[in-house]
Amino acid sequence: MSLLTILRYPDPRLHKVAKKVSVFDTRLKRLAEDMAETMYDAPGVGLAASQVDVHEQVIVIDTSDTRSDLRVFVNPELLWTSDERIIYDEGCLSVPGIYDGVERPARVRARAFDVDGKMFEVEADGLLAVCIQHEMDHLKGKVFVDYLSPLKRNRIKARMLKEERELQREKKRAS
Ligand code: K2U
Ligand code: ZN
């Protein structure tokens, strides 16, 4: 298994729309394994393939306290969302250090395929519901900062670009 590089906002590749998976093969299984390893290492509770510059509809999620309940969603779709809404202080591995409130449906019913191509459905609330919606946004090329005000988003963009320049300077110094 390998650790994958997570794209950092405002990388334009984060806004690409992911394509449906059509072949359920060992390559897909390896991608899901590498995404899971990358998510656990970050650490995070979810990761979308878009974030590792693979523009296919694959998501990994583990919101368990024991970090032992990995869920892989291939070609996920939302079947139902509740009228009840929840505001959650979201973060994102592609926007490190930034957290802000995002309002979403509190409960969802999702349908997806596992890595073997077997369809399943899940009804979720709480962190799992938020995470499913957050990751599915990534597959549509949407990052959680897109829900914030233009002022906040521009400030976050400027901060991320400054940090990226500092990261590149550090890499140059170290090489
Ligand atoms: O997409 C990602 O970068 C993964 C997010 C998933 C997430 C976003 C918002 C709300 C819940 C989950 C990362 O896991 S962000 C880090 C984190 C960890 C635990 C709880 C919330 C956020
Ligand atoms: Zn994210």
Side-chain angles (χ1 to χ4, degrees), residues 44-46 51 88 90-94 127 130-131 134-135 138:
V45 297
Q51 293 177 272
Y88 196 93
E90 297 196 14
C92 182
L93 297 176
S94 294
L127 177 58
V130 172
C131 195
H134 177 109
E135 302 311 335
H138 274 300

Side-chain angles (χ1 to χ4, degrees), residues 74-130:
V74 180
N75 300 340
E77 54 181 325
L78 287 182
L79 300 176
W80 170 83
T81 60
S82 63
D83 293 336
E84 181 198 355
R85 315 274 294 174
I86 182 175
I87 296 178
Y88 196 93
D89 208 24
E90 297 196 14
C92 182
L93 297 176
S94 294
V95 198
I98 303 292
Y99 294 87
D100 211 322
V102 176
E103 183 181 323
R104 299 182 188 270
R107 287 174 293 119
V108 299
R109 183 163 193 79
R111 173 187 292 161
F113 296 85
D114 64 19
V115 288
D116 297 311
K118 185 170 182 291
M119 185 189 289
F120 67 92
E121 290 187 8
V122 60
E123 189 145 323
D125 61 4
L127 177 58
L128 182 56
V130 172

